[in-house]
Coordinates of all heavy atoms in Angstrom, one line a residue:
M145 N 0.8 -1.2 0.0 CA 0.0 0.0 0.0 C 0.9 1.2 0.0 O 1.9 1.3 0.7 CB -0.9 0.0 1.2 CG -1.9 1.2 1.3 SD -2.9 1.1 2.7 CE -3.8 2.6 2.6
L146 N 0.5 2.2 -0.8 CA 1.3 3.4 -1.0 C 0.6 4.6 -0.2 O -0.6 4.8 -0.4 CB 1.4 3.8 -2.4 CG 2.6 4.7 -2.9 CD1 3.9 4.0 -2.7 CD2 2.4 5.1 -4.3
H147 N 1.3 5.3 0.6 CA 0.8 6.4 1.3 C 0.9 7.6 0.4 O 2.0 7.9 -0.1 CB 1.5 6.7 2.6 CG 1.0 8.0 3.3 ND1 0.0 7.9 4.2 CD2 1.4 9.2 3.2 CE1 -0.2 9.1 4.7 NE2 0.6 10.0 4.0
V148 N -0.2 8.3 0.1 CA -0.3 9.4 -0.8 C -1.0 10.6 -0.2 O -2.0 10.4 0.4 CB -1.0 9.0 -2.1 CG1 -1.0 10.2 -3.1 CG2 -0.2 7.8 -2.8
E149 N -0.4 11.8 -0.4 CA -1.1 13.0 0.0 C -1.5 13.7 -1.3 O -0.8 13.7 -2.3 CB -0.1 13.9 0.8 CG 0.5 13.3 2.0 CD -0.4 13.4 3.3 OE1 -1.4 14.1 3.2 OE2 -0.2 12.7 4.2
R150 N -2.7 14.3 -1.3 CA -3.2 15.0 -2.4 C -3.8 16.4 -2.0 O -4.2 16.6 -0.9 CB -4.3 14.2 -3.1 CG -3.9 12.9 -3.7 CD -5.1 12.2 -4.3 NE -4.7 11.0 -5.1 CZ -4.6 9.8 -4.6 NH1 -4.8 9.6 -3.3 NH2 -4.3 8.8 -5.3
G151 N -3.9 17.3 -3.0 CA -4.5 18.6 -2.7 C -4.6 19.4 -4.0 O -4.1 19.0 -5.1
G152 N -5.3 20.6 -3.9 CA -5.4 21.5 -5.0 C -6.4 21.0 -6.0 O -7.0 20.0 -6.0
S153 N -6.5 21.8 -7.1 CA -7.3 21.5 -8.2 C -6.7 22.1 -9.5 O -6.1 23.1 -9.4 CB -8.8 22.1 -8.1 OG -8.7 23.5 -7.9
G154 N -6.9 21.4 -10.6 CA -6.3 21.9 -11.8 C -5.2 20.9 -12.3 O -5.2 19.8 -11.9
P155 N -4.3 21.4 -13.2 CA -3.3 20.6 -13.8 C -2.5 19.9 -12.7 O -2.1 20.5 -11.6 CB -2.4 21.6 -14.5 CG -3.3 22.7 -14.9 CD -4.3 22.8 -13.8
L156 N -2.1 18.6 -12.9 CA -1.5 17.8 -11.8 C 0.0 17.8 -11.8 O 0.6 17.6 -12.8 CB -2.0 16.4 -11.9 CG -1.5 15.3 -10.9 CD1 -1.9 15.7 -9.5 CD2 -2.1 14.0 -11.2
L157 N 0.5 18.0 -10.6 CA 2.0 17.9 -10.4 C 2.2 16.7 -9.4 O 1.6 16.7 -8.4 CB 2.5 19.2 -9.7 CG 4.0 19.2 -9.2 CD1 4.9 19.1 -10.4 CD2 4.2 20.5 -8.4
V158 N 3.1 15.9 -9.8 CA 3.5 14.7 -9.0 C 4.9 15.0 -8.5 O 5.8 15.3 -9.3 CB 3.5 13.4 -9.8 CG1 4.0 12.3 -8.9 CG2 2.1 13.1 -10.3
L159 N 5.1 14.9 -7.2 CA 6.4 15.2 -6.5 C 6.9 13.9 -5.9 O 6.3 13.3 -5.1 CB 6.2 16.3 -5.5 CG 5.9 17.7 -6.0 CD1 5.4 18.6 -4.8 CD2 7.1 18.3 -6.7
L160 N 8.2 13.5 -6.3 CA 8.8 12.3 -5.8 C 10.0 12.5 -5.0 O 11.0 13.2 -5.6 CB 9.0 11.4 -7.0 CG 7.8 11.1 -7.9 CD1 8.3 10.3 -9.2 CD2 6.8 10.3 -7.2
H161 N 10.1 12.1 -3.8 CA 11.3 12.3 -2.9 C 12.4 11.4 -3.3 O 12.3 10.5 -4.0 CB 10.8 12.2 -1.5 CG 10.4 10.8 -1.1 ND1 11.3 9.8 -0.9 CD2 9.2 10.3 -0.9 CE1 10.6 8.7 -0.6 NE2 9.3 9.0 -0.6
G162 N 13.5 11.7 -2.6 CA 14.7 10.8 -2.8 C 14.9 9.7 -1.8 O 14.0 9.5 -0.9
L163 N 15.9 8.9 -2.0 CA 16.2 7.7 -1.2 C 16.3 8.1 0.3 O 17.0 9.0 0.6 CB 17.4 7.0 -1.7 CG 17.8 5.7 -0.9 CD1 16.8 4.6 -1.1 CD2 19.2 5.2 -1.4
G164 N 15.5 7.4 1.1 CA 15.6 7.6 2.5 C 14.6 8.7 3.1 O 14.4 8.7 4.3
A165 N 14.1 9.5 2.2 CA 13.2 10.6 2.6 C 11.7 10.1 2.6 O 11.4 8.9 2.5 CB 13.4 11.8 1.7
T166 N 10.8 11.1 2.8 CA 9.4 10.9 2.7 C 8.8 12.0 1.9 O 9.4 13.0 1.7 CB 8.7 10.7 4.0 OG1 8.7 12.0 4.7 CG2 9.4 9.7 4.9
G167 N 7.5 11.9 1.6 CA 6.8 13.0 0.9 C 6.8 14.3 1.6 O 6.6 15.4 1.0
E168 N 7.0 14.3 2.9 CA 7.0 15.5 3.7 C 8.0 16.6 3.3 O 7.9 17.7 3.6 CB 7.1 15.2 5.2 CG 8.5 14.7 5.6 CD 8.6 14.2 7.0 OE1 8.7 15.0 8.0 OE2 8.5 13.0 7.2
V169 N 9.1 16.1 2.6 CA 10.1 17.1 2.2 C 9.6 18.1 1.2 O 10.3 19.1 1.0 CB 11.4 16.3 1.6 CG1 12.0 15.4 2.7 CG2 11.0 15.6 0.4
W170 N 8.4 17.8 0.6 CA 7.9 18.8 -0.4 C 6.9 19.8 0.2 O 6.3 20.5 -0.5 CB 7.2 18.0 -1.5 CG 8.1 17.1 -2.3 CD1 8.1 15.7 -2.2 CD2 9.1 17.5 -3.2 NE1 9.1 15.2 -3.1 CE2 9.7 16.2 -3.7 CE3 9.5 18.7 -3.8 CZ2 10.7 16.2 -4.7 CZ3 10.5 18.7 -4.7 CH2 11.1 17.4 -5.2

């Protein structure tokens, strides 16, 4: 299972963190 955070509306931006990190870095 993948933990995903989403927000906003309109054109989609996907942000991918580096090795050892988590999505919170964005």
Side-chain angles (χ1 to χ4, degrees):
M145 181 177 177
L146 202 68
H147 177 89
V148 179
E149 304 277 348
R150 294 178 171 88
S153 61
L156 180 60
L157 172 68
V158 176
L159 293 165
L160 304 174
H161 64 76
L163 180 62
T166 69
E168 68 189 278
V169 298
W170 299 107

